[in-house]
């Protein structure tokens, strides 16, 4: 299954670009491909340009533009990288990273399991939806961080409270997307499956679930991002390890380059997680990509 | 009117009626009932190809749903092989107008979809057997080599072929087709009509084929059943005899064809006019349900097809 899909993925953009117009002259195709390739390369340079400029500014700005006192609070990039290097060498960064990852992965995992299960139930049983929906709306619109004190009071400052708040924050995007995914199943497909004699259970398994999967994964991706966000905040408030703790602790111990090293790690982690989840999401919505461009 | 060919007809509709409750609207806060079908009596012999025409909203899809077992009649009986239809069954398969392929499945996996449960003999096919069958039926509809394509990588005509292959792979006795070729261009449609006839001749299935196109109805059907405008009643059944269809002769320009075509056209034309008039009248004198435009446009997105079909 994986091998053909992989090649398909590679060819998909090309066919989408050239195969869509019904009467593309053969001569038109080549320049179109070349043009889109050049445009993509140009886009790449343009997109990384901002990052490069930013890093340059970070490196040179504090040295040449800022006053000496500001420089202490905003060290140039190379000092931050050096701090990062020594944190890695001492194994501290790995410890903090492992602590954060364990917490967010557990919270996130718990949230995904329960949110998907509840979402499927709510979407399938209308009456359950009518019953739960108002309450879910209230919770959904309560910012997770606003509840942080409550979690800390009830569950202490240990792992339980952190994992719980991550789970809470990750729960709602997955839940809502699961419900939406099941709801938006094409009724025609349901009719088709029924006409082929599928029972309720198999209909759910073979039609409703697969067609909801892309939407569910959109929710999971959103949950991944917010679970890291909330975790860092929670670790800043009360923890003895973790990236959030590293940042706050470095700040209060006046280890400013360490603080920036922590921040840098957080943003890299966020990027990585998002990238991975986007890739997973794309993998599961492969079949959907071209549906939007179809005529019907 | 009916042609009782065998001892028991394959399909038998006995005084079938179907009503829908119309949801409350501004005009009618209480809601009302709408009679979609009324007093339909029709026998279809095994192996027969019957086409069904009628104005938009005359209940053709409703009738097909009843035959498929997707809904139950409010009056009368729907019998297949003399047994009352209580739900979808292995003996019937539907081809829908909008293909209804599962977009996350390849062509072959779509065709194999109906084969994944336990079969009529209580046996479950192995993965290998399913794949073989899928390949066989894709070949039958002229799609060998497209097994691994996803629906979005297929043209409209190919998608409809896959849908037909899926229904055939289910190996039903009866094929129920709801305007299967309506969304296709004229050439593809003609090609698929040809292939459907070929498949019908080689497999001997009973086919009930709904269409908006009079040409299509006359060309494909051994009989054409004309439904009246709402409430749908069987207005008339026209027997079609086009003689031998051999060689490259263009049957459509034969005098017999044109004659049949005209007959169906005039039957239908009256009904379309009536349907239009009913559509404008708010409440009909006999107290029957007025036409509710929103419902009409909701169920079938393509409304302009009847006029298009006639122009073609
Ligand atoms: N689920 C439903 N609820 C209420 N009314 C319905 C429902 N399904 C069909 N109807 C009504 O029944 C009538 C017949 O509908 P049906 O879809 O069978 O028409 P049709 O002959 O297939 O039309 P078309 O040619 O446009 O496809 C229509 O007036 C429609 O509004
Ligand atoms: Mg219809």
């Amino acid at each position: 299954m994986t091998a053909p899909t992989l090649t398909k993925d590679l060819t998909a953009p090309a066919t989408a670009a050239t195969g869509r117009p019904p009467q593309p002259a053969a001569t038109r195709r080549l320049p179109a491909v070349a043009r889109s390739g050049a445009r993509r390369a140009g886009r790449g340079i343009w997109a990384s340009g901002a990052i490069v400029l930013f890093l340059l500014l970070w490196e040179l700005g504090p040295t040449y533009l800022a006053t000496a006192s500001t420089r202490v609070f905003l060290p140039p990039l190379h000092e931050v990288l050096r701090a990062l290097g020594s944190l890695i060498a001492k194994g501290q960064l790995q410890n903090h990273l492992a602590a954060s990852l364990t917490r967010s992965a557990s919270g996130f995992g718990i949230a995904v399991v329960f949110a998907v299960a509840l979402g499927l139930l709510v979407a399938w049983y209308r009456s359950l939806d009518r019953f739960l929906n108002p309450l879910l709306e209230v919770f959904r619109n309560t910012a997770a961080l606003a509840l942080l004190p409550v979690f800390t009071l009830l569950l202490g400052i240990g792992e339980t409270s952190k994992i719980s708040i991550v789970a809470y924050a990750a729960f709602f995007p997955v839940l809502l997307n699961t419900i939406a995914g099941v709801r938006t199943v094409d009724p025609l497909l349901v009719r088709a499956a029924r006409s082929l004699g599928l029972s309720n259970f198999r209909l759910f398994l073979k039609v409703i679930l697969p067609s909801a999967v892309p939407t569910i994964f959109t929710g999971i991706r959103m949950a991944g991002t917010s679970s890291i966000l909330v975790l860092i905040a929670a670790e800043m408030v009360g923890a003895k390890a973790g990236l959030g703790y590293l940042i706050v602790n470095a700040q209060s111990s006046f280890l400013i380059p360490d603080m920036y090293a922590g921040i840098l790690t957080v943003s890299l982690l966020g990027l990585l997680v998002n990238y991975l989840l986007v890739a997973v999401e794309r993998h599961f919505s492969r079949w959907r990509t071209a549906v939007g461009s179809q005529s019907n | 009117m009916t042609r009782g060919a065998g001892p028991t007809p394959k399909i038998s509709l006995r005084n079938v009626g179907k009503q829908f409750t119309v949801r409350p609207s501004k005009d009618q806060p209480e809601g009302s009932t709408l009679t979609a079908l009324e007093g339909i009596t029709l026998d279809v012999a095994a192996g027969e190809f019957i086409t069904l025409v009628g104005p938009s909203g005359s209940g053709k899809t409703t009738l097909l749903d009843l035959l498929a077992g997707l809904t139950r009649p409010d009056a009368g009986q729907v019998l297949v092989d003399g047994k009352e239809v209580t739900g979808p069954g292995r003996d019937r398969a539907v081809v829908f107008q909008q293909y209804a392929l599962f977009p996350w499945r390849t062509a072959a996996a779509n065709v194999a979809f109906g084969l994944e449960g336990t079969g009529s003999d209580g046996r479950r096919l192995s993965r290998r057997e399913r794949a073989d069958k899928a390949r066989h039926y894709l070949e039958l509809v002229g799609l060998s080599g497209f097994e691994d394509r996803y629906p979005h990588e297929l043209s409209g005509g190919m998608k409809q072929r896959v849908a037909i292959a899926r229904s055939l792979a289910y190996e039903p006795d009866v094929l129920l087709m709801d305007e299967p070729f309506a969304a296709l261009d004229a050439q593809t449609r003609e090609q698929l009509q040809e292939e459907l006839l070929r498949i019908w001749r080689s497999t001997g299935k009973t086919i009930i084929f709904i269409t908006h196109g009079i040409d299509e109805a006359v060309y494909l059907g051994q009989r054409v059943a004309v439904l009246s405008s709402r409430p749908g009643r069987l207005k008339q059944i026209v027997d079609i005899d086009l003689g031998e269809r051999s060689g490259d002769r263009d049957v459509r320009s034969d005098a017999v064809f044109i004659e049949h075509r005209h007959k169906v056209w005039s039957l239908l034309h009256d009904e379309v006019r009536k349907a239009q008039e009913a559509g404008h009248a708010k409440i009909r004198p006999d107290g029957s349900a007025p036409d509710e435009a929103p419902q009409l446009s909701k169920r079938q997105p393509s409304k302009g097809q009847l006029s298009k079909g006639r122009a073609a």
Side-chain angles (χ1 to χ4, degrees), chain A residues 204-227:
Chain A
F204 196 81
L205 224 58
K206 301 220 155 186
V207 180
I208 292 175
L209 211 51
S211 94
V213 156
T215 321
I216 295 178
F217 270 97
T218 307
I220 289 181
R221 175 174 53 78
M222 288 155 65
T225 317
S226 70
S227 68

Side-chain angles (χ1 to χ4, degrees), chain A residues 124-164:
Chain A
W124 190 251
Y125 296 104
R126 290 263 154 186
S127 52
L128 184 64
D129 177 40
R130 276 195 298 276
F131 178 66
L132 279 181
N133 189 43
L135 183 69
L136 291 177
E137 277 299 307
V138 172
F139 276 114
R140 178 171 79 92
N141 288 298
T142 310
L145 285 176
L147 291 174
L148 187 55
V150 180
F151 278 87
T152 323
L153 278 177
L154 292 180
L155 302 169
I157 60 162
E159 298 303 295
T160 325
S161 82
K162 282 180 197 66
I163 292 174
S164 310

Side-chain angles (χ1 to χ4, degrees), chain A residues 264-294:
Chain A
L264 202 59
T265 314
V266 168
S267 72
L268 288 178
L269 177 66
L271 271 178
L272 182 72
V273 166
N274 192 53
Y275 175 83
L276 284 178
L277 290 174
V278 166
V280 172
E281 184 189 357
R282 191 168 299 153
H283 175 80
F284 280 102
S285 27
R286 233 171 342 160
W287 52 268
R288 212 162 65 159
T289 46
V291 170
S293 66
Q294 290 290 305

Side-chain angles (χ1 to χ4, degrees), chain B residues 139-200:
Chain B
E139 192 186 322
L140 189 69
V141 297
L143 275 185
S144 334
F146 289 88
E147 286 85 0
D148 294 330
R149 297 275 196 108
Y150 282 93
H152 73 255
E153 297 168 317
L154 298 171
S155 72
M158 290 169 164
K159 278 187 232 180
Q160 197 54 282
R161 284 168 203 256
V162 176
I164 292 172
R166 180 174 66 191
S167 308
L168 290 173
Y170 198 55
E171 293 180 348
D173 299 336
V174 180
L175 210 51
L176 305 166
M177 308 182 87
D178 190 359
E179 301 185 36
F181 305 151
L184 305 175
D185 62 275
Q187 279 88 356
T188 315
R189 189 182 312 143
E190 257 179 46
Q191 201 183 344
L192 282 179
Q193 286 170 356
E194 220 53 69
E195 289 188 24
L196 183 63
L197 282 176
R198 177 177 60 77
I199 290 167
W200 170 61

Side-chain angles (χ1 to χ4, degrees), chain B residues 20-22 34 36 54-63 97 178-179 212 227 230 292 295-296 299-300 302-303:
Chain B
F20 289 110
T21 6
V22 179
L34 173 152
S56 191
S58 58
K60 302 184 294 294
T61 301
T62 308
L63 189 60
Q97 178 178 347
D178 190 359
E179 301 185 36
H212 267 140
L227 281 186
R230 224 181 56 222
E292 55 336 32
Q295 250 89 4
L296 271 172
R299 281 212 66 212
Q300 286 280 330
S302 44
K303 280 292 103 170

